Amino acid sequence: MTTLAPLRDDDPALLERLASARDAGQVPLVLDARRPAEQVRAAVATAERADLAGIGWATLTSGSSGTPRIVLRTPESWEQSFTAVGDLLDSASAVALPAPASSSLTLFSLAHALSGGPRPLLHDAAAADGFHGTPEGLRRALESGSAPRLRTALVGGSHLDPSLRARAEEAGIRVTAYYGAAELSFVAVDRGDGLVPFPGVELRVVDGELWVRSPFVASGYAGASGPLRRDGAWATVGDHAELVPAAGGGERLRLLGRADDAILSASATIVPDEVEAALRAVPGVRDALVFGLPTGRVGALVAALVEPSDADLALSELRAAATARLAPAHRPRRWFQGALPRTASGKPARAEALRRVLAGEVRRLG
């Protein structure tokens, strides 16, 4: 009988414990040491009740839209992508991993290391010539100078701002962004000219929803269900997307947001990603999160939490920019300013932003 091996992401001997668990035929579940003890116990109990036959890894979703789920996957569902990822990292010898090991993004790289991939650096990135993390992690590495030898970066988990890509490339770092999900693993990559399928992955869009045919899809969940759905060999997590013609021929994948993030306001359906992209282009806006603010009359009001680059933002300028860039239904009706809440891996946490606004913990503009 396959058993679970619960581990903590703050364990200094984590890589060795992962290796021992895998050698013993156990399924590692790396837990976030920052979470309340009761949540940790509940996650372990849920995973222990699951059928782990044939499973190699149990990973946590980011929790960026709510409570994290436990995703179960076979060893092969990650191993089959190691060669392609090694190529994207340009055969880096040591990879900086700023996100905690409880995130599937970092745990993937630890699994890769156990199979001969680049040496993982979870804490001191000074010797790293490669990087695998979120855009926020890359931004911090550039600002702090903590990884002076970086020459290649694999960036996922959330939107990569073009200005951050340019800044990294000016520093001599080759940047590859990717789109994926804990349930799907790698789906598409962008080397600077738009998203194309990750090697071995096929894409199709059905009624505005992205489906993938891939050897990297997870087996399912432990405990509660999640957004992963299947139709024969195809799978989806409900992301909205479209395939658009590319200037040089072929098609590029354009992401339009998650179905569970859509805001229903009056008679319109607003995709937060589209509004956020417009707000990030406003001078003085470092980042932005858009979400629905509940109201009993028109469904939800479009609200935006904007993080300034430096000085405070003027409400009049934000409204003017929204008017110039967005259709009327997509313009935020409530504006808030402050640092964006993020998950432990650095992804913007939409659900936490809404909680802070409702609790009055965020400064309202106007």
Side-chain angles (χ1 to χ4, degrees), residues 49-64:
R49 289 193 296 268
D51 180 3
L52 299 178
I55 300 301
W57 299 93
T59 71
L60 295 172
T61 63
S62 67
S64 56

Side-chain angles (χ1 to χ4, degrees), residues 122-144:
L122 289 166
H123 305 294
D124 184 3
D129 53 353
F131 172 95
H132 184 199
T134 62
E136 184 66 14
L138 179 59
R139 186 193 306 277
R140 290 174 180 171
L142 291 172
E143 291 177 349
S144 66

Side-chain angles (χ1 to χ4, degrees), residues 138-229:
L138 179 59
R139 186 193 306 277
R140 290 174 180 171
L142 291 172
E143 291 177 349
S144 66
S146 58
R149 296 180 56 196
L150 278 188
R151 57 182 177 82
T152 183
L154 187 59
V155 183
S158 60
H159 167 81
L160 174 64
D161 190 274
S163 64
L164 180 57
R165 177 192 285 275
R167 181 177 176 183
E169 291 176 345
E170 288 172 1
I173 303 169
R174 191 186 74 174
V175 178
T176 301
Y178 70 88
Y179 155 69
E183 297 90 342
L184 304 177
S185 195
F186 295 94
V187 173
V189 293
D190 178 3
R191 296 176 176 84
D193 58 354
L195 285 166
V196 297
F198 184 87
V201 175
E202 296 177 64
L203 308 178
R204 73 181 185 188
V205 175
V206 181
D207 296 329
E209 190 173 60
L210 177 64
W211 289 78
V212 306
R213 181 157 62 183
S214 163
F216 316 130
V217 177
S219 302
Y221 301 99
S225 62
L228 178 65
R229 292 180 285 123

Side-chain angles (χ1 to χ4, degrees), residues 35-362:
R35 290 193 172 273
E38 185 56 39
Q39 285 189 12
V40 171
R41 286 192 291 269
V44 172
T46 297
E48 287 177 335
R49 289 193 296 268
D51 180 3
L52 299 178
I55 300 301
W57 299 93
T59 71
L60 295 172
T61 63
S62 67
S64 56
S65 296
T67 303
R69 301 178 181 89
I70 300 172
V71 177
L72 304 177
R73 56 173 55 253
T74 66
E76 297 79 15
S77 67
W78 270 353
E79 290 168 0
Q80 294 179 81
S81 63
F82 287 164
T83 297
V85 169
D87 291 342
L88 292 174
L89 286 169
D90 197 20
S91 301
S93 61
V95 61
L97 302 171
S102 52
S103 71
S104 60
L105 180 153
T106 294
L107 188 57
F108 170 91
S109 287
L110 295 179
H112 190 186
L114 293 178
S115 292
R119 179 165 57 97
L121 299 177
L122 289 166
H123 305 294
D124 184 3
D129 53 353
F131 172 95
H132 184 199
T134 62
E136 184 66 14
L138 179 59
R139 186 193 306 277
R140 290 174 180 171
L142 291 172
E143 291 177 349
S144 66
S146 58
R149 296 180 56 196
L150 278 188
R151 57 182 177 82
T152 183
L154 187 59
V155 183
S158 60
H159 167 81
L160 174 64
D161 190 274
S163 64
L164 180 57
R165 177 192 285 275
R167 181 177 176 183
E169 291 176 345
E170 288 172 1
I173 303 169
R174 191 186 74 174
V175 178
T176 301
Y178 70 88
Y179 155 69
E183 297 90 342
L184 304 177
S185 195
F186 295 94
V187 173
V189 293
D190 178 3
R191 296 176 176 84
D193 58 354
L195 285 166
V196 297
F198 184 87
V201 175
E202 296 177 64
L203 308 178
R204 73 181 185 188
V205 175
V206 181
D207 296 329
E209 190 173 60
L210 177 64
W211 289 78
V212 306
R213 181 157 62 183
S214 163
F216 316 130
V217 177
S219 302
Y221 301 99
S225 62
L228 178 65
R229 292 180 285 123
R230 298 178 186 272
D231 181 6
W234 294 84
T236 184
V237 291
D239 286 356
H240 294 303
E242 60 184 3
L243 294 170
V244 298
E251 292 182 319
R252 296 293 185 268
L253 176 66
R254 180 169 177 257
L255 297 170
L256 301 174
R258 291 291 292 265
D260 51 6
D261 288 338
I263 303 168
L264 302 179
S265 181
S267 60
T269 299
I270 294 94
V271 177
D273 284 14
E274 296 177 331
V275 183
E276 290 165 358
L279 296 182
R280 291 189 192 102
V282 178
V285 174
R286 183 175 185 264
D287 210 343
L289 262 180
V290 173
F291 48 91
L293 199 58
T295 173
R297 295 174 297 165
V298 293
L301 292 174
V302 180
L305 172 59
V306 290
E307 181 175 304
S309 300
D310 189 8
D312 284 349
L313 297 161
L315 179 59
S316 58
E317 294 179 6
L318 289 170
R319 284 176 171 164
T323 299
R325 291 173 166 84
L326 297 166
H330 290 65
R331 298 168 191 163
R333 297 298 190 269
R334 296 288 185 271
W335 295 87
F336 302 88
Q337 177 177 290
L340 266 57
R342 298 182 183 275
T343 67
S345 63
K347 296 181 182 180
R350 204 181 308 277
E352 175 62 12
L354 174 59
R355 186 203 67 77
R356 292 184 185 182
V357 164
L358 294 176
E361 298 174 5
V362 179

